[in-house]
Amino acid sequence: VLTVRWNFLDCDETKITLGTKNFVLCIEAADSRIPVETLEKATVKLREVLEKFCPGTYKDFIVDVSKVLEWEI
């Protein structure tokens, strides 16, 4: 998992290359006042860019950790 706030921790083991087959990108609300709709819009925009430049199969979903602590990726 790569995050915006932890870029300084990225290394060879976490970088995405031409040989990458699977990866997970997370968008999270750092504050509970951020509406779910904002996350949904950001997810749609990210997916549109990824599909344009990285053809493949994508799965996206919103997780509410106050209700669900386990999910299948």
Side-chain angles (χ1 to χ4, degrees):
V1 176
L2 303 176
T3 65
V4 172
R5 300 283 182 224
W6 298 342
N7 286 339
F8 66 93
L9 296 175
D10 291 351
C11 60
D12 286 342
E13 287 78 16
T14 61
K15 70 182 173 186
I16 297 173
T17 68
L18 293 175
T20 299
K21 300 291 182 196
N22 300 296
F23 62 92
V24 175
L25 293 174
C26 295
I27 300 174
E28 63 181 284
D31 188 305
S32 61
R33 294 173 291 184
I34 297 173
V36 171
E37 293 78 21
T38 300
L39 292 177
E40 290 170 343
K41 288 178 185 177
T43 300
V44 168
K45 285 185 176 186
L46 176 59
R47 186 174 184 151
E48 288 171 352
V49 171
L50 289 172
E51 288 175 335
K52 182 176 180 180
F53 295 103
C54 306
T57 302
Y58 291 87
K59 180 178 180 181
D60 57 71
F61 53 91
I62 303 292
V63 175
D64 183 344
V65 295
S66 69
K67 298 178 182 173
V68 179
L69 294 177
E70 293 184 21
W71 57 92
E72 189 168 326
I73 296 178

